[in-house]
């Protein structure tokens, strides 16, 4: 588990480094830590909500007589790793937005 978490953070760092060449490790780890603390509080709730969504998907598969075995991996990985995928998305979004030279809100337009 520790190796998987470390590999996840390293992959995220190199992915973010492609968008922002001067990304400091400290700034990156601060972003990861902030997002992790936000998600840790609601992780059980998110896991249950993801499972709840899959309940409806399974019901649709049953009603359409489709093979439900194809849903085993999406359910397993979606429930366990879905919240952590959100961390990946939020950290990447924050770093990409901070490296953009274009204004991302209208307040920059009105600040002229």
């Amino acid at each position: 588990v520790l190796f998987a978490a470390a590999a996840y953070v390293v992959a995220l760092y190199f992915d973010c480094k492609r968008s922002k060449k001067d990304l400091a490790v400290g700034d990156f780890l601060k972003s990861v830590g902030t997002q992790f603390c936000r998600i840790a509080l609601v992780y059980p709730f998110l896991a249950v909500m993801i499972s709840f969504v899959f309940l409806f998907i399974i019901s649709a598969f049953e009603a359409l007589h489709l093979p439900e075995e194809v849903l085993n991996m999406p359910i397993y990985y979606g429930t366990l790793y879905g919240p952590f995928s959100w961390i990946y998305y939020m950290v990447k979004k924050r770093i990409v937005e901070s490296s953009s030279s274009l204004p991302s809100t209208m307040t920059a337009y009105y600040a002229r």
Side-chain angles (χ1 to χ4, degrees):
V1 174
L2 188 58
F3 178 74
Y8 166 81
V9 172
V10 168
L12 176 58
Y13 175 74
F14 284 115
D15 191 20
C16 292
K17 187 87 168 159
R18 290 182 333 163
S19 299
K20 187 175 182 181
K21 303 291 185 214
D22 60 341
L23 179 63
V25 176
D27 293 339
F28 169 74
L29 291 177
K30 182 179 176 186
S31 291
V32 171
T34 301
Q35 293 303 322
F36 180 78
C37 289
R38 286 183 180 172
I39 203 85
L41 298 173
V42 294
Y43 178 81
F45 176 73
L46 286 175
V48 169
M49 291 306 297
I50 291 169
S51 299
F52 185 69
V53 169
F54 275 115
L55 176 70
F56 292 107
I57 295 171
I58 291 169
S59 297
F61 268 61
E62 286 179 349
L64 297 171
H65 303 289
L66 297 172
E68 296 148 11
E69 295 80 25
V70 298
L71 294 175
N72 286 341
M73 290 198 44
I75 291 170
Y76 178 76
Y77 289 111
T79 303
L80 289 180
Y81 300 112
F84 294 109
S85 297
W86 182 254
I87 293 173
Y88 192 102
Y89 171 76
M90 293 305 291
V91 169
K92 177 92 187 261
K93 179 182 170 195
R94 175 177 285 169
I95 289 173
V96 167
E97 285 177 352
S98 72
S99 67
S100 176
S101 62
L102 298 174
S104 59
T105 62
M106 288 301 290
T107 57
Y109 176 77
Y110 291 116
R112 293 193 234 171

